[in-house]
């Protein structure tokens, strides 16, 4: 069974600060997705990375896939209250239609 | 979330009662999934379907049954509800190697 561990589990920071959250596994994945989930809603896809070492940017969010495709990070620059939410990573493998989800990082940005 | 609709949004059941959760998608995706989300445990896959007329077990299938009689609908049934099945249930739809699109969830409480 492939497992994804996310850290930290909870993070609360002031508006304007930078932060990084992590998604780690002992298994190799073909792709890694990051989702954000807000209260009362389902997860919404932010990005998919598929190449080891790949870096993708989405405005103030920077996503990186580890060289060995076992881990990933999400860095947020100048956090804003709108970034508040539960961040989930999910790993996939080619030929397998199922995703493995991490336990999530609950992020709170204090105005 | 556009494309995946779950009904009902909330439900309270007594132990031993049965019910069916409905999921409908309008994106013509082949794959559909049912997850449960519990505090500290992330999203766990209950059952999934790779196409009309097919279903398969996920990580936590016990106590649940599913049916995919039409491509656009995926039903999750609880034959005899137990308190351990109190959770938030999410349906998702997707294509092979593509991100999953989630509904907004059904919050189910079993008394």
């Amino acid at each position: 069974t492939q497992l994804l561990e996310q850290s930290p589990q909870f993070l609360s920071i002031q508006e304007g600060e930078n932060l990084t959250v992590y998604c780690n596994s002992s298994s190799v994945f073909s792709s890694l997705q990051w989702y954000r989930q807000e209260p009362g809603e389902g997860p919404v896809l932010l990005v998919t990375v598929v190449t080891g070492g790949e870096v993708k940017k989405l405005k103030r969010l920077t996503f990186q896939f580890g060289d060995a495709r076992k881990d990933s990070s999400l860095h947020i620059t100048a956090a804003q209250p709108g970034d508040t939410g539960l961040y989930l990573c999910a790993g996939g493998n080619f030929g397998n239609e199922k995703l493995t989800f991490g336990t999530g990082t609950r992020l709170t940005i204090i105005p | 979330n556009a494309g995946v609709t779950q009904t009902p949004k909330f439900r309270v059941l007594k132990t031993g009662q049965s019910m069916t959760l409905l999921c409908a998608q309008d994106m013509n995706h082949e794959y559909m999934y049912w997850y449960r989300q519990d505090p500290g445990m992330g999203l766990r896959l209950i059952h999934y379907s790779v196409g009309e007329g097919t279903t398969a077990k996920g990580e936590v299938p016990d106590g649940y049954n599913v049916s995919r009689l039409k491509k656009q609908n995926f039903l999750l049934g609880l034959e005899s509800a137990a308190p351990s099945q109190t959770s938030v249930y999410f349906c998702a739809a997707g294509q092979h190697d593509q991100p999953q699109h989630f509904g907004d969830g059904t919050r189910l409480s079993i008394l």
Side-chain angles (χ1 to χ4, degrees):
Chain A
T1 303
Q2 295 180 305
L3 297 175
L4 278 168
E5 295 189 1
Q6 292 187 241
S7 60
Q9 188 176 358
F10 299 95
L11 182 59
S12 181
I13 65 170
Q14 295 287 336
E15 180 177 359
E17 294 183 348
N18 302 331
L19 67 106
T20 302
V21 297
Y22 301 92
C23 174
N24 294 296
S25 176
S26 58
S27 304
V28 175
F29 290 98
S30 302
S31 66
L32 202 292
Q33 300 176 4
W34 283 92
Y35 293 80
R36 180 169 64 213
Q37 184 180 15
E38 300 190 18
E41 299 182 5
V44 176
L45 180 73
L46 296 175
V47 76
T48 300
V49 285
V50 298
T51 304
E54 182 177 2
V55 177
K56 281 192 174 180
K57 292 190 175 184
L58 182 65
K59 296 183 180 179
R60 295 175 293 100
L61 278 60
T62 302
F63 304 84
Q64 184 164 10
F65 202 11
D67 291 340
R69 290 186 284 125
K70 292 182 178 182
D71 55 84
S72 181
S73 63
L74 159 59
H75 181 80
I76 301 178
T77 303
Q80 299 179 1
D83 296 326
T84 293
L86 177 66
Y87 288 81
L88 296 164
C89 64
N93 286 296
F94 296 139
N96 186 340
E97 57 281 344
K98 296 180 290 183
L99 290 177
T100 298
F101 279 85
T103 51
T105 292
R106 189 166 297 279
L107 175 63
T108 302
I109 308 301
I110 303 167
Chain B
N1 292 295
V4 178
T5 303
Q6 293 183 232
T7 54
K9 295 187 182 302
F10 303 95
R11 185 71 185 269
V12 178
L13 290 178
K14 294 181 179 179
T15 298
Q17 287 185 317
S18 63
M19 78 161 295
T20 301
L21 280 63
L22 312 179
C23 178
Q25 56 114 348
D26 61 5
M27 299 172 289
N28 202 37
H29 285 336
E30 290 295 331
Y31 304 131
M32 296 188 74
Y33 308 83
W34 275 107
Y35 293 92
R36 60 178 290 173
Q37 187 174 37
D38 301 292
M41 302 189 75
L43 286 163
R44 293 183 292 169
L45 183 64
I46 303 171
H47 286 281
Y48 64 101
S49 169
V50 301
E52 180 179 321
T54 72
T55 63
K57 294 180 179 180
E59 180 185 355
V60 288
D62 293 343
Y64 305 95
N65 58 76
V66 289
S67 64
R68 184 97 181 269
L69 298 179
K70 294 183 178 181
K71 185 177 183 179
Q72 63 268 33
N73 297 331
F74 196 29
L75 309 182
L76 177 70
L78 284 72
E79 292 183 344
S80 180
S84 62
Q85 294 177 304
T86 292
S87 187
V88 182
Y89 291 85
F90 286 97
C91 175
Q95 295 284 52
H96 184 56
D97 291 345
Q98 295 295 315
Q100 295 181 12
H101 301 270
F102 286 82
D104 284 339
T106 294
R107 188 173 298 274
L108 183 61
S109 294
I110 315 297
L111 304 179

